[in-house]
Amino acid sequence: MTYDEQLTAIKDFSFQKMSGDATGHNFDHIQRVIKTAQRILKEEPADPLITLAAAYLHDVADDKLVSDPAALEQEIKQFLHSIDFSEEQVNEVLYITHNLSFSKSLSKNPPKLSLAGQIVQDSDRLDAIGAIGITRAVYYGGAHSETIYDPNIQPREKMNKAEYRNLNNETIINHFYEKLLKLTAMMNTPTAKKIAEKRHQYMLDFLDEFKAEWDAEK
Ligand code: ADP
Ligand code: NI
């Protein structure tokens, strides 16, 4: 199979797996992550096939979306072999998709990612901040019946992996402090950091405006 044929097959597989989800993980998220990864790939010498394959597949076996992530990882493995990926390429892609999450980054020994993995992680995180990030947080919060904001519930800004995973009582605004405002400092590549800084400021301005309106100061 040619590179283009492999990528088309991966895109189709991802589309089929992702199109039914209503929590901000729709295929449009995947397409934005791909576009951003392509932009970063222009500046970084990573393997484009591994990077884009992992970007297309990064949420397919997410344990927030499927009840049996291990079974989906098996399915991805078989699929990649069926389009001529070597054992080594399959392992590289699965290592990335398995290890890029925010909660894994909070563990004591966060997994080390290859440059391809760092690009996918940056691209995924860039889609969680800025105007798109604000929209996704509101959309997710609505789908999970979160309160918009409660000034009496303080954000828990310092959390380890287990605490983050067991959050309850989350408000949409707290999600900014507990995750979204931390992402800029966690970017791996200079290209992503530069994009992130602009989106970060946009969120800070949004939060100022939101709180001023909440207190009827504006
Ligand atoms: P991803 O790794 O693709 O960013 P997540 O499953 O972590 O996916 O989250 C999907 C989207 O929903 C992200 O934009 C994220 O910021 C947002 N989100 C996740 N948890 C919450 C929450 N508790 N409240 C509001 N938004 C959330
Ligand atoms: Ni994602």
Side-chain angles (χ1 to χ4, degrees), residues 63-208:
D63 58 9
K64 287 197 278 333
L65 303 177
V66 295
S67 55
D68 190 352
L72 266 150
E73 286 184 346
Q74 266 322 103
E75 213 182 304
I76 293 172
K77 216 174 197 170
Q78 276 166 11
F79 162 70
L80 289 175
H81 278 306
S82 80
I83 58 164
D84 300 341
F85 270 54
S86 68
E87 186 70 22
E88 193 189 339
Q89 287 175 309
V90 171
N91 289 339
E92 272 185 64
V93 171
L94 280 177
Y95 179 83
I96 296 170
T97 60
H98 195 81
N99 286 298
L100 57 65
S101 74
F102 178 68
S103 64
K104 287 243 163 76
S105 301
L106 299 178
S107 51
K108 263 213 178 108
N109 293 307
K112 289 243 184 313
L113 295 173
S114 61
L115 182 58
Q118 293 178 20
I119 293 173
V120 181
Q121 188 177 61
D122 282 355
S123 305
D124 192 32
R125 289 176 173 175
L126 283 171
D127 205 51
I129 64 176
I132 300 271
I134 293 170
T135 311
R136 288 180 77 210
V138 174
Y139 193 84
Y140 180 104
H144 290 81
S145 306
E146 279 175 11
T147 309
I148 296 173
Y149 177 50
D150 181 344
N152 297 315
I153 302 177
Q154 287 302 309
R156 291 139 289 190
E157 290 177 44
K158 287 220 175 345
M159 281 185 285
N160 63 29
K161 181 179 164 192
E163 285 162 344
Y164 181 77
R165 295 205 131 209
N166 294 320
L167 267 180
N168 50 29
N169 232 353
E170 179 77 315
T171 72
I172 292 171
I173 294 299
N174 271 2
H175 184 65
F176 286 78
Y177 298 97
E178 291 166 347
K179 176 175 175 185
L180 307 186
L181 290 172
K182 295 176 179 171
L183 295 177
T184 299
M186 295 166 78
M187 293 293 161
N188 305 292
T189 63
T191 312
K193 186 150 269 181
K194 209 166 140 211
I195 303 171
E197 276 159 8
K198 191 160 165 258
R199 297 187 185 187
H200 188 91
Q201 187 57 48
Y202 191 83
M203 291 192 293
L204 292 177
D205 293 345
F206 167 76
L207 290 166
D208 280 350

Side-chain angles (χ1 to χ4, degrees), residues 25 29 33 58-59 124 136:
H25 268 107
H29 163 62
V33 173
H58 80 273
D59 278 330
D124 192 32
R136 288 180 77 210

Side-chain angles (χ1 to χ4, degrees), residues 3 37-38 40-52 92 96 114-120 189:
Y3 171 85
Q38 284 168 331
I40 301 175
L41 275 169
K42 290 199 178 116
E43 314 294 331
E44 300 288 338
D47 180 333
L49 183 61
I50 297 295
T51 309
L52 298 177
E92 272 185 64
I96 296 170
S114 61
L115 182 58
Q118 293 178 20
I119 293 173
V120 181
T189 63

